[in-house]
Amino acid sequence: MSVTITSVEVHDVRFPTAARGDGSDAINRGDYSATYVELGTDAGPTGAGFTFTNGRGNEITCAAVRALAHHVRGRTVEEIAAEPVAFWRSLSADVQLRWLGPEKGVIHMATGALVNAVWDLRATLAGKPMWRFLTEMPTDELVASVDFRHITDALTPDEAAAILDKGLIGGDGRLADLKEIGFPSYTTSVGWLGYPDDKVRALTRQAYDDGWRAVKMKVGGPLADDLRRARIIRAEIGPDALLMMDANQVWDVDEAITAMTALAEVDPYWIEEPTHADDILGHARIARAVTELTDGRCRVATGEVAANRVIFKQLLQAEAIGVMQIDACRVGGVNEVLAELLLAAKFGVPVCPHAGGVGLCEYVQHLAIFDYLRVGTGLDGRMVEYVDHLHEHFVDPVRTRSGRYLLPERPGYSATMKPTSIAEFRFPDGPAWR
């Protein structure tokens, strides 16, 4: 039976997180928000998708979704599945709106919200959680979902097919392991920059007691403060647990190297976003420096605001990152994430998805599981970020145990928000904002 997408509803949903310091870092202090999309169909089932924003400006992303919605409304799911790249390009390469990117920023994030909603609908109709829907998809269909334009100098369709075919080997065993112990994770909830020292100490101690053996802190304030807070966290987690750091792009290249020379004292596992997100060569120089400073123990991680697959291609080609951090909302949805996961596998770089915000944990758990089961096929160096914020607003929230994600079981992409939460936090007329 053919299923037609009959409506595209867009909601501006915002949560007042700035006042508590949740999510605060060297640059950002916002109200976690979502441009939330609901696709109605003539068959009954709906699709949900969103892109994450930081408060003011969410209305702009909502407007961009509405400007692109005509590419989705009226299409059948079967038509989209038969020509996935053509559908993706209708959004990412709209002959007029692409000028506002191209393939970056608000337009691309709006593209991702719509594309993710379509994938949620497809998985829901198939009766499978997204990770299983992707993992069980034939190689030729997965390859046909990737837009290889501008990346064939790094990854060809034949190379992608070979990676995916190889991923079929041993998949049942890997799945059995996940069912038994879950997917490795780390928590960022202990070290927001706006938290006082006592709160950092208490949260770190609680996280360790709850089973987390990898934690992340924000840096990029006064260096003496960063080092003091890092020493507090290291003292609480001991010498064997992993401590990651995130500068959120605040440093110049030389400043990053100077800061990491001091922070190397506490044995960081990675430094995330040490400089401007688009500075490929700067990241490469920092990567060489921290490798030398720490005898290879520390690496550079980035990707949460990398605009598209082409930026990731260059980061990998330049050997600028030792950890690739995809973001399910920043890029153009599942199609582009597939390209990025395959690029990482080709270059042998582990993927540790960026999460937190509104619903990012719900999204990326599926992508990380699929990566392990079908693409990367190993857990060495792989973790999913976890932030304990706002999960209660989702119908199918993430579940963790002893610092690990548990497998999602419900059909779809875990993206559906509760109607009561949408009504309460809708901006500007929801009760939370009056």
Side-chain angles (χ1 to χ4, degrees), residues 251-261 274-275 282 285-286:
W251 292 326
D252 285 349
V253 173
D254 289 330
E255 190 178 8
I257 294 169
T258 298
M260 291 310 297
T261 300
T275 194
R285 186 167 159 233
I286 295 167

Side-chain angles (χ1 to χ4, degrees), residues 156-300:
T156 67
D158 286 345
E159 289 173 326
I163 291 169
L164 291 163
D165 281 342
K166 185 178 179 181
L168 292 169
I169 302 169
D172 289 343
R174 291 192 294 277
L175 179 56
D177 290 342
L178 287 185
K179 288 180 177 179
E180 181 179 354
I181 64 173
F183 197 95
S185 179
Y186 70 92
T187 179
T188 305
S189 297
V190 305
W192 298 115
L193 205 64
Y195 286 174
D197 289 356
D198 288 346
K199 185 171 184 177
V200 169
R201 183 179 289 104
L203 288 172
T204 304
R205 186 171 299 176
Q206 185 62 55
Y208 191 86
D209 290 344
D210 290 342
W212 301 98
R213 294 298 180 266
V215 303
K216 189 169 78 179
M217 64 175 293
K218 298 293 183 174
V219 295
L223 185 53
D225 291 348
D226 289 344
L227 185 55
R228 185 189 69 255
R229 294 167 62 251
R231 287 169 174 163
I232 290 171
I233 295 172
R234 176 55 77 190
E236 292 296 332
I237 63 175
D240 297 327
L242 299 180
L243 171 58
M244 287 81 81
M245 297 177 173
D246 185 356
N248 290 96
Q249 311 165 51
V250 73
W251 292 326
D252 285 349
V253 173
D254 289 330
E255 190 178 8
I257 294 169
T258 298
M260 291 310 297
T261 300
L263 292 168
E265 172 196 316
V266 295
D267 193 24
Y269 180 65
W270 76 51
I271 177 60
E272 181 175 335
E273 289 197 316
T275 194
H276 193 286
D278 296 339
D279 189 353
I280 309 296
L281 298 181
H283 276 88
R285 186 167 159 233
I286 295 167
R288 291 191 296 270
V290 296
T291 296
E292 183 176 346
L293 280 168
T294 65
D295 294 324
R297 292 192 306 277
C298 184
R299 61 218 68 199
V300 167

Side-chain angles (χ1 to χ4, degrees), residues 308-323:
N308 51 55
R309 67 203 182 283
V310 180
I311 294 291
F312 280 114
K313 177 190 76 169
Q314 294 174 78
L315 286 165
L316 292 165
Q317 288 174 325
E319 299 181 351
I321 51 173
V323 176

